[in-house]
Amino acid sequence: MTSRMELGRPTSGKRRLKDLLLQKDNRFCADCGAPDPKWASANIGVFICLKCCGVHRSLGTHISKVLSVTLDEWSDEDIDAMVEVGGNAAANAIYEAFIPEGRSKPGPDASHDDRMRFIRSKYELQEFLKPSLRIVSMSDKSSLQASFSKKLVNSFRSSNSSKKSENSEGMVEFIGVLKVKVVKGTNLAVRDMLSSDPYVVLNLGQQTVQTSVVRSNLNPVWNEELMLSVPQRYGPVKVKVFDYDTFSADDIMGEAELDIQPLITSAMAYGDPGMFGDMQIGKWLKSQDNALIEDSIINIVNGKVKQEMQLKLQNVESGDLEIEVEWVPLEQ
């Protein structure tokens, strides 16, 4: 996974951590939503507020290694772990994947007991993960997202061959993982005085992931890979580009939708892509009803099903987006 900081910015540890904290989803506590969190759980990869920090400390460092963003010295390993996870949205997509109906997150004004119950359930007991996806050790040096992706695929090798248990009723069943590489933007719209600070948000169902912010650039290069789990009943991936603002709401810089059905249908028709050489297996056709600039070809490349697409951002005066996607099915 491409580092979120490979954008020509300063690479000092404190600067990398500060840049990560400035991302939209990291400006609020991962557990209660309180603004301006100044603490972090380095091994989990989330930014948290002072009140939630106290609960995390009580869990023990084997579960949550708490550090102050401003006061503590951070090791390169701790900062690398935070950057690899990507922040609160990426971590919450894992740890809050299946919050039961009737169970809600605590708010900024919640009592200590409410925070304790929720945070213990979320991280220590891992109640909101599907049981087969629970992460046994968070001290692993590999990134949390990479670990989650492997466990996600491996867990379905056995579970998909058996019938659903009564305990899984109402749970979302996934058929695969979509790796989305946001490559670059071209001629994006101006939203500040002379430029913009763009970032890209992807949404599929209840999942939301986003890239880092590129400062003062209308032709940003991200080269960031984001992951979305694809449920059995899936719709398009919604893409939005925003201009990051420090003191006001972020401005929209255009949007588009990715129809992932041609990719998934083509992949399923061919089965195991590792059995084939490099070849074209499908196509998403440009039309007046989509944002494609040209037809998007679906290929098997080195045993993987991939698709490149050029998108004209909608509802905006200018801007194109280059995206690459890869389909990773769950084994039957």
Side-chain angles (χ1 to χ4, degrees):
M1 180 174 176
T2 303
S3 170
R4 290 175 177 261
M5 297 297 116
E6 291 178 0
L7 298 171
R9 301 180 184 179
T11 57
S12 68
K14 284 290 185 181
R15 181 53 185 268
R16 294 170 67 208
L17 191 64
K18 183 179 178 181
D19 283 347
L20 186 62
L21 183 59
L22 286 174
Q23 292 182 25
K24 186 177 180 180
D25 57 298
N26 297 332
R27 285 182 272 158
F28 299 90
C29 175
D31 296 328
C32 76
D36 197 25
K38 296 299 185 184
W39 298 82
S41 174
N43 57 329
I44 294 175
V46 292
F47 292 98
I48 53 179
C49 69
L50 179 61
K51 292 181 180 179
C52 289
C53 162
V55 178
H56 276 254
R57 286 190 186 280
S58 71
L59 300 179
T61 56
H62 64 292
I63 294 177
S64 183
K65 181 181 180 181
V66 178
L67 293 171
S68 167
V69 175
T70 56
L71 301 177
D72 288 326
E73 289 297 324
W74 285 65
S75 69
D76 289 340
E77 184 177 9
D78 287 335
I79 292 174
D80 287 343
M82 292 289 296
V83 172
E84 286 176 355
V85 172
N88 294 352
N92 280 347
I94 299 170
Y95 285 102
E96 297 180 2
F98 300 106
I99 296 180
E101 187 174 349
R103 184 80 179 269
S104 59
K105 295 182 64 168
D109 298 324
S111 67
H112 177 78
D113 287 344
D114 285 344
R115 292 174 198 271
M116 174 66 80
R117 281 192 291 270
F118 181 82
I119 291 172
R120 283 201 63 207
S121 295
K122 181 177 177 179
Y123 300 112
E124 183 179 10
L125 305 177
Q126 299 178 2
E127 292 179 354
F128 310 141
L129 284 166
K130 190 166 185 177
S132 56
L133 303 184
R134 289 178 179 170
I135 301 169
V136 176
S137 173
M138 290 176 290
S139 60
D140 191 345
K141 292 182 180 180
S142 63
S143 74
L144 182 59
Q145 279 194 334
S147 173
F148 172 67
S149 179
K150 291 175 183 177
K151 291 184 74 64
L152 183 65
V153 173
N154 291 338
S155 69
F156 278 85
R157 290 178 179 174
S158 57
S159 64
N160 272 4
S161 62
S162 61
K163 295 182 180 180
K164 296 179 183 178
S165 67
E166 292 182 4
N167 291 334
S168 69
E169 288 184 5
M171 303 284 273
V172 177
E173 294 294 332
F174 295 109
I175 59 173
V177 174
L178 192 70
K179 296 183 179 181
V180 184
K181 184 177 183 180
V182 181
V183 181
K184 66 180 181 178
T186 305
N187 193 29
L188 299 184
V190 175
R191 287 294 179 265
D192 296 327
M193 291 294 291
L194 298 174
S195 187
S196 296
D197 303 321
Y199 64 94
V200 180
V201 175
L202 305 178
N203 176 265
L204 178 62
Q206 300 299 313
Q207 303 166 82
T208 300
V209 293
Q210 72 177 60
T211 68
S212 58
V213 177
V214 179
R215 302 289 182 176
S216 302
N217 200 324
L218 300 180
N219 297 286
V221 176
W222 285 283
N223 280 325
E224 292 185 28
E225 185 175 87
L226 308 173
M227 292 190 296
L228 294 164
S229 299
V230 180
Q232 288 180 334
R233 297 182 180 179
Y234 58 86
V237 175
K238 297 181 180 180
V239 181
K240 291 186 178 181
V241 182
F242 289 94
D243 169 50
Y244 171 76
D245 288 316
T246 304
F247 302 108
S248 61
D250 295 348
D251 298 316
I252 187 74
M253 296 175 63
E255 56 191 342
E257 289 190 348
L258 308 183
D259 183 359
I260 59 177
Q261 183 173 3
L263 173 72
I264 297 174
T265 301
S266 298
M268 289 182 170
Y270 277 80
D272 181 5
M275 298 176 60
F276 301 91
D278 292 359
M279 60 186 294
Q280 177 182 331
I281 62 172
K283 184 184 295 186
W284 179 25
L285 298 176
K286 173 185 175 348
S287 74
Q288 294 181 344
D289 297 325
N290 61 45
L292 284 178
I293 296 175
E294 58 186 15
D295 292 348
S296 175
I297 307 301
I298 302 164
N299 294 305
I300 293 177
V301 181
N302 295 326
K304 299 178 180 179
V305 178
K306 296 188 174 185
Q307 181 180 6
E308 298 179 0
M309 54 190 75
Q310 304 284 339
L311 303 171
K312 174 67 67 176
L313 293 174
Q314 307 294 296
N315 303 316
V316 68
E317 58 269 29
S318 66
D320 300 341
L321 205 61
E322 181 178 336
I323 288 179
E324 299 175 2
V325 296
E326 178 186 338
W327 173 244
V328 182
L330 300 177
E331 295 188 13
Q332 302 298 314

